[in-house]
Amino acid sequence: MQRRRLLLLYLLCVGHWLLRYGVLPVLLWALDSPLAWAYLFMAQGLVLLAGQLAFLPGGGAVELGLGRFLSPYLTPAAIAAVLLAWRGFTYYGTILAGAPLLVLIVGHKARVPLIGKVP
């Protein structure tokens, strides 16, 4: 792979993970309950690893673990709001943002072989 392309891929990956790990601190800041970024980074890393190892559909271990890490600092209502918003941004938001790009790429690749076959 060319160096320039590899660097671009690396920067896109770094940007993706910084955005993913940056959602929770921003949500807590918006609720006026800021926690240390290092603590949130560590908690998200551990619960995302647990989610991969748990094999539960829908990532139930992630929400349970993150709720447990936040419980000493937030009320149950605030935890529920943060978890719903966090899941919405990190999971459903990614799907909604990537869907048009997927349709564009797959649609273009599927349309190219058909161009010569259309009467």
Side-chain angles (χ1 to χ4, degrees):
M1 191 180 288
Q2 296 174 348
R3 231 170 228 239
R4 184 174 161 203
R5 189 174 184 147
L6 189 61
L7 179 64
L8 177 64
L9 181 63
Y10 176 75
L11 291 175
L12 287 172
C13 288
V14 168
H16 166 78
W17 285 105
L18 284 175
L19 285 172
R20 182 169 178 97
Y21 279 86
V23 168
L24 188 59
V26 170
L27 288 172
L28 290 172
W29 174 78
L31 288 174
D32 200 27
S33 302
L35 294 175
W37 188 85
Y39 176 77
L40 295 174
F41 182 82
M42 184 261 327
Q44 287 181 87
L46 288 174
V47 298
L48 290 172
L49 174 65
Q52 292 293 318
L53 299 175
F55 297 115
L56 291 174
V62 174
E63 283 82 6
L64 291 174
L66 200 53
R68 183 70 182 125
F69 275 109
L70 295 176
S71 63
Y73 305 104
L74 300 173
T75 65
I79 292 172
V82 166
L83 288 178
L84 284 172
W86 180 77
R87 176 54 91 177
F89 282 113
T90 59
Y91 185 71
Y92 300 112
T94 305
I95 291 173
L96 290 175
L101 185 61
L102 178 69
V103 168
L104 181 71
I105 291 171
V106 171
H108 177 70
K109 289 188 182 223
R111 188 178 57 223
V112 170
L114 295 176
I115 289 175
K117 297 178 183 178
V118 175

